[in-house]
Amino acid sequence: MYNDVGSRPGVPPNSIPSQPNPFGNAFNVAGSGLIRGGLGAYGGKILGSSSEYVQSNISRYFSDPQYYFQVNDHYVKNKLKVVLFPFLHRGHWTRITEPVGGRLSYKPPIYDINAPDLYIPLMAFGTYIILAGLSLGLRGKFSPEALSLLFVKGLLGWFMQASLLKVTLLSLGCGEGPLLDIIAYAGYTFTGICLAVFGKIISGYAYYFLMPWTCLCMGVFLVKTMKRVLFAEVRSSDSSKHHYLLLFIALVQFPLFIWLGNITVNWLL
């Protein structure tokens, strides 16, 4: 009676020890290793392609900001001549390329007069704000609020010019131009505006001569630039569409210049 193991308390009846499976652990380890390796390689491929895609799009649309500030006195002087007197520019309007890292890249502004920069547009914009404040002060209408509104007016005009150039490129199927290029070309507007506003401060008669001249010169500059530089990769059989869009860009400069050159307390006028 005492030799009956099944009657002992705490001992489960019919307990048979399980045999270890030598192949199960091997399959589990190998399977998990393959899964981890496959997921790691697939994830690395996704992350690598994503980073390359982001970097390519950043370089495509924004380029290198330092590129637009590689200027010197010689470039600034000659660039102002091209913008304010485009009729006197006898050279070509195409940009100069050079091989960099196995592909062609544009030379910086210091080596190419046709390259866009952001130094002149930013300096011209700051000069425009200073001249606007001086014009208001001479008429006894200066106030910090009025100057801040003119600052917003200038930014809005810059944005409108850049949007015009961007929409024109998109309409021709060439919307991949670097955004900073378009912003730079649009910012050259303030060089002519500053000259017209300065003439208005000196003499009202000078303003009525300088304003149409600067509008005409800016229109010619943008037409030459868009035709030779930004439209270089557009291959469309409808050449009349090109001509109409270029003419539209030139004509828009007149109302835009008149609006920006009208220095008043009411910035909408």
Side-chain angles (χ1 to χ4, degrees):
M1 175 174 65
Y2 297 101
N3 293 332
D4 189 2
V5 180
S7 62
R8 293 182 183 180
V11 179
N14 301 325
S15 61
I16 301 176
S18 59
Q19 297 294 328
N21 187 0
F23 302 101
N25 294 332
F27 285 141
N28 291 334
V29 172
S32 61
L34 289 174
I35 293 175
R36 288 195 301 268
L39 291 177
Y42 186 70
K45 184 178 180 180
I46 293 177
L47 292 177
S49 60
S50 299
S51 62
E52 292 177 359
Y53 176 79
V54 172
Q55 291 177 0
S56 63
N57 278 273
I58 289 176
S59 61
R60 177 187 299 176
Y61 294 106
F62 291 96
S63 300
D64 183 11
Q66 296 180 356
Y67 168 89
Y68 299 90
F69 293 95
Q70 299 182 30
V71 299
N72 55 12
D73 295 339
H74 181 72
Y75 167 82
V76 172
K77 181 180 65 175
N78 290 331
K79 190 69 172 186
L80 290 176
K81 290 181 180 179
V82 173
V83 175
L84 297 177
F85 305 97
F87 305 101
L88 302 179
H89 183 57
R90 300 304 180 186
H92 59 83
W93 290 83
T94 55
R95 297 171 63 178
I96 303 175
T97 58
E98 61 179 352
V100 176
R103 62 177 184 178
L104 292 178
S105 179
Y106 291 118
K107 285 191 175 183
I110 193 173
Y111 301 115
D112 185 9
I113 190 62
N114 295 318
D117 72 283
L118 286 173
Y119 175 80
I120 293 178
L122 290 175
M123 293 297 103
F125 180 78
T127 305
Y128 167 75
I129 300 301
I130 295 175
L131 291 176
L134 179 61
S135 177
L136 291 176
L138 293 175
R139 290 179 289 167
K141 298 181 180 180
F142 176 82
S143 66
E145 292 79 11
L147 191 62
S148 61
L149 291 177
L150 287 172
F151 179 83
V152 175
K153 180 179 181 178
L155 288 180
L156 182 59
W158 198 340
F159 173 78
M160 293 169 60
Q161 185 80 292
S163 300
L164 172 64
L165 301 181
K166 184 65 176 180
V167 170
T168 303
L169 291 177
L170 291 176
S171 64
L172 293 174
C174 182
E176 296 184 356
L179 180 61
L180 292 181
D181 281 13
I182 299 175
I183 293 176
Y185 287 126
Y188 291 128
T189 302
F190 293 98
T191 58
I193 295 285
C194 289
L195 185 60
V197 174
F198 180 74
K200 188 175 184 178
I201 294 175
I202 301 300
S203 173
Y205 296 102
Y207 172 79
Y208 293 109
F209 169 76
L210 291 174
M211 179 57 72
W213 171 260
T214 54
C215 291
L216 180 62
C217 291
M218 191 63 196
V220 172
F221 170 78
L222 288 179
V223 166
K224 292 288 187 180
T225 300
M226 297 288 284
K227 185 177 181 180
R228 301 294 183 181
V229 180
L230 299 180
F231 290 173
E233 299 180 358
V234 177
R235 298 293 183 266
S236 176
S237 58
D238 189 6
S239 59
S240 62
K241 186 178 181 180
H242 290 189
H243 297 157
Y244 285 126
L245 288 174
L246 292 174
L247 179 61
F248 178 73
I249 291 175
L251 293 178
V252 167
Q253 302 309 309
F254 287 89
L256 181 62
F257 268 62
I258 293 174
W259 180 62
L260 290 174
N262 187 22
I263 308 300
T264 59
V265 177
N266 188 0
W267 67 280
L268 292 175
L269 299 177

